[in-house]
Amino acid sequence: METILKSEITCPNCGHKKVEDMPTHACQFFYECENCKTVLKPHEGDCCVYCSYGTVPCPPIQENKSCC
């Protein structure tokens, strides 16, 4: 299975959506919504904002590897 490198993040505060390129060798712990400026952090138990708010989990999780 090929790793997907793009994920659409949805802000839980305002509903704004944006497709972003995910880093392949690091976790992204913070993400600022460009619409409302809310800073998103991962939910407890998730390794990054893509796993919490994205349509696709981060590359290490897709590859069944340890994230971060």
Side-chain angles (χ1 to χ4, degrees):
M1 182 171 103
E2 192 169 326
T3 303
I4 299 167
L5 300 177
K6 291 189 181 288
S7 183
E8 183 178 59
I9 287 188
T10 302
C11 176
N13 188 51
C14 72
H16 181 73
K17 297 179 183 214
K18 185 171 182 189
V19 175
E20 297 282 0
D21 292 319
M22 294 184 281
T24 56
H25 298 292
C27 290
Q28 187 166 338
F29 293 107
F30 302 102
Y31 178 85
E32 182 178 309
C33 174
E34 68 180 18
N35 184 58
C36 71
K37 307 301 181 200
T38 296
V39 176
L40 307 181
K41 299 174 197 164
H43 295 298
E44 188 175 329
D46 285 344
C47 65
C48 66
V49 293
Y50 295 105
C51 289
S52 293
Y53 305 101
T55 53
V56 178
C58 68
I61 296 298
Q62 290 180 56
E63 297 166 3
N64 293 318
K65 295 179 182 173
S66 170
C67 188
C68 309

